[in-house]
Each structure stands twice: as C-alpha cells, then as structure tokens.
C-alpha cells in the first residue's frame, strides 16, 4: 500500500508506535470545527499545509480571534468572520492543525529546534548531521545539550519508524521543542529521498576528501537565512527537489546599499532581511523545502559566470569520466542553467578570467574529485548508473562541487562543434546498458 507522504501521513506512522505517542503533538486534518475545539483547550493553534512550509497561527486575545501569517496580523471579533478570513487565506490547499504547546516559551523556558538525521544505507546507524545550533542562543544550546541523550534516543526511533514506512528516504528533518527538564515534543517531520539536494549534501559531507569542496549549506528557515546573510553577505537559495535552475534565487547585501534579489535575469531591491524572507517564502518556498547556500564567486567568460558539467557513467562496476563541458550563463543570469553557449574545457579556460590557465591540471583535478564523489554516492544510492556533476571554479583556480544530477541532460554535449565528446558519452551509456 502506498503511504501518504504528507504531514498527516507521517504523523499517523509515528502515532502507531506506542513509545512515541507521549512525544507527539496532536495533529489532525483541518476543519473549522476542529479549530474551535482546539481553541477551547489551547492558547494557540497552528495550521500547516499538508505539503509545504506555510503556517497560520490562530489565537484568542482580548475576546477576539487573531490570525497571524508571517508579519501579517489580523483580528476579528466573531467566529463567522474568522471562518471567512481563513477560507480566503487557506485557499485550495489541504491543511493540518495542531496546538502550539510552546506559545508562551519565554516564560516556560521551552525551546524549538530543527534537527536533521541522515544515514548512508539501511545497515548504518542514524546520525544527527545538522541542527540549527548556530542560530540558537546560549540558553537554547544549554537546554539542548542537557537533553541530548533523550533527544537522540527518541529521534532515532522516529527515523527508524519513518524509514520503515518510506524505505527510500535517507535524510529526515524533525522539528522539536524541549526544556531544561528533558521534556520533549515532536511537532513536524520532513523526509528527503536520495535526489534531494539536502540529502545529497549530507551524503557527500561524510566523505573527508569531498566535504571541503562543498559550499556551506543549511536547511532554509528564517534563522538560517538571517545567519547566512550576516556571515556571507551573498547566498543562493535552491529547492531541495528540482532541475534546470527552477526556483533558484540569489540574495546579496552590498555595503551601505539595499539588498539585491536576483531571480533569472531580473534584479530588484529590498531594504530589510525580514521583508526579503517573507516575500521569497510566499513566492518560492511556501510549498516545498529549500536549502540556503553560500554563494561562490565563479570565474567568467566575457563577464558571464561559468561552471563545468562532468559526465560519469558506470560500466562493469567501474565509474568512468566520459565528458566535460563548460556552460556559460546568459547575460545578466547568475546561474548557468540559462545557457548562453557551451564550450570545451580547454577553450573556456583560455577565454576565462582565471589567473592560472593550466587546463590539463584543472581537468585532472576535476576527474579525481568526481570519481571520488561518484564512488562515495554509489554506496548510498541504489541503481545509480550515470551522474552529471556540476563544478564551479573561482578566478584563483579553486574548484567547488555544487551537486550531482542522477538524470543528467546529455543533449548539451551535442551542442559542441566537436562531436567526439558527445560520441564518447553516448558510447559509454550504451556500454553500461549492455553490461547491466
């Protein structure tokens, strides 16, 4: 039976485990009747999309209903008005509803955090690989470490139960609240499959040779976005699932100037980080998980950024580099998915802004990186046959590994005038198919 992968489906999976029931925050399918019932028992309730990040808070204050969405707060006096506002706000999406137990967190010393667990294969143990600790204050961090043993034990059981229900997931985000007294509640879970950029980042991060080549990356939420902007001044946000550059946005802070928001080939300005996050969330990542990543300043050709696609195919159990191609971004684009033209590596390096133009050494180093990454991912991703790695290179010649595509686009190799590279890629694909 195919299980529902949304919030309610995951909640039901966890609720079936008796050992977890005491930690789960009650979650139901949204209805207006359920909302009124919960407001009789709790100070505040939360409405969340079954799939997505949008959250609506409803609470009672001074005998009025208050509806809060991001930075927007609206007060209505009666249930009829509340229903009308929610019907307009929630539109056509399906929602779940749950109480907010840490509504008065400041007085109750309750802290909220998102923790990511990952494991390479079903034979490995689940490990905590990320938490938004860099965004926590000292009291929150102290409470977390004071409760660490219990948190790890419970969250490992959560991961095991979700993996049993969704056996292709490798990475799981778990939103919790906790106290100094080791009280713990589980609010939310998000599962990631192997193709998720967040899952792949943690898979590659476990390789000591590859990890230093990955741009610093975090699960996107308000705290991580603010933290990355303050630390790096220039970041890229990407959907965990997606291809062809869809939904990718760059945000840049320049000294004494407003923020630049760069999407496709358009740039607009914003004054405040809160304004940016609210705007981007409404337009981009309210419906699916995103990551935030440090922006790497790439070398250019004719002032347009470039990156390198390295194609690998596994033939008779051995990974082989079959072709490289340099993608030149279109004018005013910051990513190369909007390709202006493609070039052979040697030609691109000669025309580039690189200070050091030793194409043979650069090509050899890229081969080493991609073969190491491919062999590492091959141990974690089932039935992996082809990978197209995207590598970036800075003016100083430093190479960065951005991501691996498990269904890479082969057609771009045909666009080269020299068809020998395309022929080599296709010949290896045929060899792989014949050997399987």
């Amino acid at each position: 039976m195919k299980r529902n992968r949304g919030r309610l489906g995951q909640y039901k999976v966890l609720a079936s485990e008796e050992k977890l029931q005491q930690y789960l925050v009650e979650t139901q399918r949204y209805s207006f009747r359920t909302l009124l019932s919960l407001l009789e028992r709790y100070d505040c309730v939360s409405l969340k999309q079954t799939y997505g990040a949008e959250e609506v808070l409803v609470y009672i204050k001074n005998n009025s209903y208050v509806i809060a969405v991001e930075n927007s707060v609206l007060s209505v006096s009666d249930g009829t008005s509340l229903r009308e506002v929610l019907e307009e706000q929630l539109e056509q999406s399906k929602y779940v509803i749950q109480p907010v137990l840490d509504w008065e967190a400041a007085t109750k010393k309750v802290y909220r955090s998102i923790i990511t667990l990952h494991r390479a294969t079903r034979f490995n143990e689940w490990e905590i690989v990320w938490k938004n600790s860099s965004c926590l204050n000292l009291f929150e961090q102290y409470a977390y470490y004071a409760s660490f043993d219990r948190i790890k034990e419970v969250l490992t059981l959560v991961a095991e139960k979700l993996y049993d229900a969704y056996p292709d997931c490798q990475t799981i985000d778990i939103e919790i609240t906790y106290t100094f007294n080791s009280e713990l509640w589980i609010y939310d879970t998000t599962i990631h499959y192997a193709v998720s950029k967040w899952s792949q980042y943690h898979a590659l991060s476990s390789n000591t040779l590859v990890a230093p080549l990955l741009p610093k990356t975090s699960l996107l939420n308000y705290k991580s976005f603010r933290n990355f902007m303050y630390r790096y001044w220039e970041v890229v946000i990407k959907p965990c699932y997606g291809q062809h550059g869809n939904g990718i946005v760059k945000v840049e802070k320049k000294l004494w100037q407003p923020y630049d928001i760069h999407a496709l080939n358009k740039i607009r300005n914003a004054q405040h980080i809160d304004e940016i996050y609210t705007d981007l969330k409404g337009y981009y990542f309210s419906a699916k998980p995103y990551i935030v990543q440090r922006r790497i300043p790439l070398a250019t050709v004719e002032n347009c950024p470039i990156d390198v696609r390295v194609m690998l195919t596994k033939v008779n159990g051995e990974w082989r580099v079959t072709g490289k191609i340099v993608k030149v971004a279109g004018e005013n684009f910051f990513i190369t998915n909007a390709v202006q033209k493609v070039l052979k590596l040697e030609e691109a390096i000669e025309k580039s802004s690189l200070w050091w133009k030793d194409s043979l050494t650069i090509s050899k180093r890229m081969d080493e990186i991609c073969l190491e990454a491919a062999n590492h991912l091959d141990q974690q991703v089932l039935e992996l046959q082809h990978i197209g790695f995207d590598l970036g290179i800075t003016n100083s010649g430093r190479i960065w590994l951005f991501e691996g595509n498990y269904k890479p686009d082969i057609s771009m190799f045909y666009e080269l005038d020299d068809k020998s590279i395309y022929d080599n890629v296709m010949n290896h694909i045929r060899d792989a198919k014949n050997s399987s």
Side-chain angles (χ1 to χ4, degrees):
M1 181 182 71
K2 187 174 182 180
R3 291 186 180 273
N4 186 306
R5 294 185 298 167
R7 283 190 165 92
L8 194 59
Q10 293 179 47
Y11 173 80
K12 290 179 177 179
V13 168
L14 299 178
S16 67
E17 172 56 60
E18 185 177 353
K19 293 179 181 178
L20 291 174
Q21 292 172 1
Q22 61 179 311
Y23 302 109
L24 297 176
V25 174
E26 177 186 1
T27 303
Q28 304 179 53
R29 190 181 303 279
Y30 167 74
S31 70
F32 190 70
R33 178 180 295 180
T34 304
L35 170 68
L36 295 180
S37 174
L38 287 177
L39 283 174
E40 291 178 357
R41 292 186 284 147
Y42 299 100
D43 296 327
C44 178
V45 297
S46 168
L47 283 63
K48 299 177 181 176
Q49 289 175 309
T50 303
Y51 300 91
E54 181 176 310
E55 181 177 24
V56 179
L57 297 178
V58 181
Y59 57 94
I60 298 176
K61 184 177 181 180
N62 299 328
N63 296 320
S64 295
Y65 294 103
V66 180
I67 306 102
V69 184
E70 295 297 336
N71 295 325
S72 173
V73 178
L74 178 65
S75 179
V76 296
S77 58
D78 57 80
T80 301
S81 299
L82 175 63
R83 182 195 290 266
E84 292 175 353
V85 170
L86 289 177
E87 286 178 351
E88 180 179 352
Q89 179 65 47
L90 304 185
E91 297 179 345
Q92 302 301 318
S93 299
K94 294 182 179 180
Y95 280 73
V96 298
I97 185 170
Q98 58 184 191
V100 180
L101 302 181
D102 59 341
W103 180 236
E104 298 178 358
T107 57
K108 296 181 179 179
K109 297 294 185 295
V110 178
Y111 305 106
R112 187 176 290 222
S113 181
I114 299 175
I115 297 173
T116 298
L117 286 84
H118 174 85
R119 72 174 177 184
T121 71
R122 62 189 180 90
F123 302 108
N124 298 96
E125 294 184 357
W126 288 96
E127 297 182 2
I128 294 177
V129 293
W130 180 87
K131 57 184 180 299
N132 51 353
S133 58
S134 60
C135 306
L136 303 180
N137 62 41
L138 290 177
F139 290 106
E140 291 172 315
Q141 292 190 49
Y142 182 81
Y144 171 79
Y145 287 110
S147 308
F148 178 78
D149 290 341
R150 187 169 198 178
I151 289 174
K152 185 176 181 181
E153 178 185 357
V154 173
L155 298 197
T156 299
L157 181 56
V158 168
E160 292 285 358
K161 290 297 296 183
L162 289 176
Y163 180 82
D164 288 344
Y166 311 98
D168 294 330
C169 73
Q170 289 185 310
T171 307
I172 301 172
D173 305 320
I174 307 174
E175 184 178 3
I176 64 171
T177 58
Y178 51 92
T179 70
F180 281 105
N181 299 323
S182 297
E183 294 177 294
L184 174 66
W185 298 275
I186 299 167
Y187 270 88
D188 207 356
T189 57
T190 303
I191 56 177
H192 294 264
Y193 296 99
V195 294
S196 165
K197 293 180 177 65
W198 185 230
S199 187
Q200 187 184 97
Y201 174 75
H202 290 295
L204 291 172
S205 295
S206 63
N207 183 296
T208 56
L209 297 177
V210 175
L213 310 175
L214 305 174
K216 186 68 175 178
T217 302
S218 176
L219 191 67
L220 178 63
N221 54 45
Y222 174 72
K223 286 186 175 181
S224 63
F225 178 68
R226 183 183 62 186
N227 181 265
F228 267 54
M229 285 303 307
Y230 289 159
R231 179 178 297 181
Y232 302 116
W233 285 44
E234 191 174 4
V235 305
V236 177
I237 66 170
K238 303 177 180 180
C240 290
Y241 299 93
Q243 293 180 307
H244 311 302
N246 295 325
I248 298 180
V249 180
K250 182 180 77 169
V251 182
E252 181 179 4
K253 172 61 176 172
K254 297 180 179 179
L255 193 62
W256 311 118
Q257 294 183 33
Y259 293 88
D260 283 346
I261 305 172
H262 195 164
L264 298 177
N265 61 342
K266 306 295 183 183
I267 300 177
R268 56 191 176 86
N269 303 123
Q271 294 293 332
H272 303 291
I273 199 167
D274 291 357
E275 173 191 349
I276 298 169
Y277 185 80
T278 300
D279 185 37
L280 293 179
K281 183 175 181 180
Y283 194 77
Y284 289 101
F285 49 91
S286 63
K288 51 188 174 183
Y290 264 67
I291 56 173
V292 58
Q293 192 172 75
R294 175 191 174 188
R295 165 69 175 166
I296 303 300
L298 297 174
T300 60
V301 168
E302 298 173 354
N303 295 317
C304 295
I306 60 173
D307 68 16
V308 184
R309 167 62 60 86
V310 182
M311 182 68 192
L312 290 89
T313 295
K314 185 171 61 173
V315 181
N316 295 320
E318 178 187 357
W319 284 100
R320 302 176 186 177
V321 176
T322 62
K324 299 186 190 72
I325 195 169
V326 174
K327 299 174 288 178
V328 182
E331 187 175 357
N332 296 323
F333 284 86
F334 70 95
I335 54 174
T336 62
N337 301 82
V339 178
Q340 175 189 151
K341 57 184 174 182
V342 294
L343 300 170
K344 292 177 64 174
L345 180 64
E346 298 79 8
E347 180 186 2
I349 289 176
E350 187 60 35
K351 293 180 177 180
S352 75
S353 59
L354 278 163
W355 305 334
W356 177 59
K357 301 181 186 292
D358 185 345
S359 59
L360 184 61
T361 300
I362 292 172
S363 180
K364 183 179 178 181
R365 177 61 178 145
M366 288 182 172
D367 288 352
E368 293 170 350
I369 292 169
C370 293
L371 287 169
E372 179 69 29
N375 281 294
H376 185 73
L377 289 174
D378 196 24
Q379 300 171 26
Q380 304 191 30
V381 182
L382 297 178
E383 300 178 358
L384 195 55
Q385 199 71 54
H386 314 286
I387 309 178
F389 285 108
D390 287 331
L391 303 181
I393 185 167
T394 65
N395 285 333
S396 65
R398 179 170 181 180
I399 298 172
W400 294 86
L401 174 56
F402 293 136
E403 65 177 283
N405 301 275
Y406 300 142
K407 295 182 179 180
D409 180 13
I410 309 300
S411 62
M412 66 177 70
F413 288 90
Y414 191 76
E415 297 176 25
L416 288 171
D417 292 334
D418 181 358
K419 296 296 188 285
S420 64
I421 298 177
Y422 173 78
D423 291 340
N424 191 53
V425 170
M426 294 305 299
N427 286 337
H428 278 83
I429 290 176
R430 283 190 285 268
D431 290 345
K433 186 175 182 181
N434 293 333
S435 66
S436 60

